[in-house]
Amino acid sequence: MDLEKTIENLGLVPVIVINNADKAEGLAKALIDGGIPCAEVTFRTAAAAEAIQRMVKAYPQILVGAGTVLNVEQAKKAVECGAKFVVSPGLDEDTVRWCQANNVPVYPGVCSASEVQRALNLGLKVLKFFPAEANGGVPMINNLCGPFPQVRFMTTGGISTSNLAEYAACPHVLAIGGSWMAKADMIENECWDQITELCRQAVCAVHGFTLAHFGINAENPEHAEVLAKGLSVFGLNPDVGRSSTFMNKDIEIMHQNGRGVHGHLGFRTYNVDRAVAYLSQFGFTVNESTVKKDAKGRMTFCYFNEQIGGFAIHLVK
Ligand code: 3PG
């Protein structure tokens, strides 16, 4: 899988300021335990290079990149230490060119149309949008993606679990970065459980699962009508479609051949591809014949092959 797909599936990139490389292994484990095997270790401290080295050595499954890379020297150093990608707060053409020449994914920071244009002319398509909140957040990203629809952003700066939903739902946002999941003092004080818990909360927030509707299986269209009438006494109004009838969007009566022994549960999520990747670690596999995609090839709907308690499960964006 390419790196950008991996980053998109994770959806979250903890931005790390680490002052003591002895904390590297503990930090890596705390992130992994919290469900985010990824970090952008910033070159704001002298310990960064060694920390990257120690994180990837102890936990080869973690994806570690270098952040706050300001020049070619730092980019070289980061890659030597095992960084798999390079992030900068701004756009330095020498650093970008060195990374490109050495096949190192590089995400320079931009926050204006002129900078996006410069980055595009350097052949880049994934950029860091920084500082995100101070520069207008998702409305600004949507505006930038009018003239630059091919660009996707890693957004950082002022984002946390409390305001990440809008970013998670934005198709132009590849992933959300931030320091809130593992702050410098938490690392210094070895607050590993706290970091793990903050990561878990962030993972929940990035998917934003909510129950979209409950599905009932009718035997045939006539039976579906009978069921709809039965439910209408609760004040639910039928909206009859081709294959199902929705009752106030909350209950879907399948006219026939409904999935699931007893019916189905439809869950809404911000990014179906990302949710599928997340749920695969719990054994869910996509029923390929049910997949729907948008014009850009991103999944908007899918059933899983597995059921819970006799209920089929589907995701919908
Ligand atoms: C970065 O380097 O991306 C930012 O410092 C992270 O911003 P935050 O501290 O507001 O999350």
Side-chain angles (χ1 to χ4, degrees):
M1 194 187 304
D2 71 28
L3 184 89
E4 273 140 34
K5 194 71 204 153
T6 303
I7 292 176
E8 177 171 19
N9 284 347
L10 288 168
L12 293 160
V13 181
V15 173
I16 305 298
V17 176
I18 184 165
N19 287 297
N20 177 353
D22 288 343
K23 315 282 180 183
E25 292 85 358
L27 169 65
K29 182 173 185 308
L31 297 173
I32 293 167
D33 288 349
I36 312 180
C38 181
E40 174 191 323
V41 178
T42 60
F43 267 60
R44 285 175 220 177
T45 64
E50 189 188 337
I52 292 175
Q53 211 163 29
R54 289 173 66 163
M55 288 171 85
V56 295
K57 182 155 185 249
Y59 297 95
Q61 73 270 41
I62 193 169
L63 172 64
V64 182
T68 322
V69 172
L70 304 181
N71 52 49
V72 173
E73 283 326 298
Q74 285 180 333
K76 277 187 192 163
K77 181 83 190 153
V79 173
E80 267 167 33
C81 292
K84 294 287 185 305
F85 60 93
V86 163
V87 183
S88 304
L91 179 59
D92 176 58
E93 299 194 1
D94 288 344
T95 304
V96 169
R97 289 211 174 90
W98 181 87
C99 288
Q100 288 172 325
N102 290 278
N103 291 319
V104 178
V106 58
Y107 310 116
V110 297
C111 65
S112 70
S114 298
E115 290 165 344
V116 173
Q117 199 168 321
R118 273 175 62 209
L120 278 178
N121 289 337
L122 286 165
L124 298 170
K125 289 216 172 73
V126 175
L127 306 171
K128 169 167 168 145
F129 180 58
F130 176 77
E133 280 290 283
N135 280 291
V138 171
M140 177 64 167
I141 289 170
N142 287 334
N143 276 294
L144 287 171
C145 288
F148 306 119
Q150 66 276 56
V151 174
R152 298 189 78 199
F153 293 102
M154 308 219 321
T155 58
T156 54
I159 308 173
S160 68
T161 298
S162 61
N163 64 349
L164 68 71
E166 212 190 340
Y167 291 90
C170 175
H172 309 301
V173 173
L174 188 82
I176 300 154
S179 61
W180 86 93
M181 293 164 273
K183 289 207 172 288
D185 61 325
M186 296 177 203
I187 299 169
E188 195 52 44
N189 297 319
E190 303 191 0
C191 302
W192 307 136
D193 290 347
Q194 189 184 1
I195 291 173
T196 294
E197 182 52 28
L198 287 168
C199 289
R200 282 209 187 105
Q201 288 170 7
V203 169
C204 279
V206 88
H207 296 296
F209 292 118
T210 52
L211 186 65
H213 58 257
F214 185 85
I216 298 178
N217 293 334
E219 284 154 22
N220 51 47
E222 295 72 40
H223 183 217
E225 230 179 292
V226 173
L227 297 181
K229 267 208 187 96
L231 287 167
S232 66
V233 302
F234 295 98
L236 303 174
N237 295 312
D239 179 7
V240 183
R242 256 190 318 133
S243 56
S244 67
T245 296
F246 269 96
M247 305 297 294
N248 278 22
K249 298 193 188 335
D250 298 319
I251 299 176
E252 181 179 24
I253 304 169
M254 306 307 292
H255 292 174
Q256 59 200 354
N257 304 326
R259 290 170 199 277
V261 175
H262 302 309
H264 72 264
L265 301 171
F267 285 100
R268 211 176 288 289
T269 188
Y270 299 130
N271 180 324
V272 175
D273 289 281
R274 178 181 292 150
V276 162
Y278 167 73
L279 292 169
S280 70
Q281 58 183 311
F282 305 105
F284 285 96
T285 57
V286 170
N287 180 334
E288 295 295 341
S289 68
T290 64
V291 169
K292 291 180 194 157
K293 293 186 176 179
D294 67 14
K296 292 204 161 172
R298 296 182 192 132
M299 263 195 268
T300 55
F301 182 97
C302 73
Y303 267 100
F304 292 106
N305 292 312
E306 297 70 25
Q307 301 188 13
I308 294 184
F311 289 90
I313 309 281
H314 76 69
L315 298 178
V316 59
K317 186 172 161 56

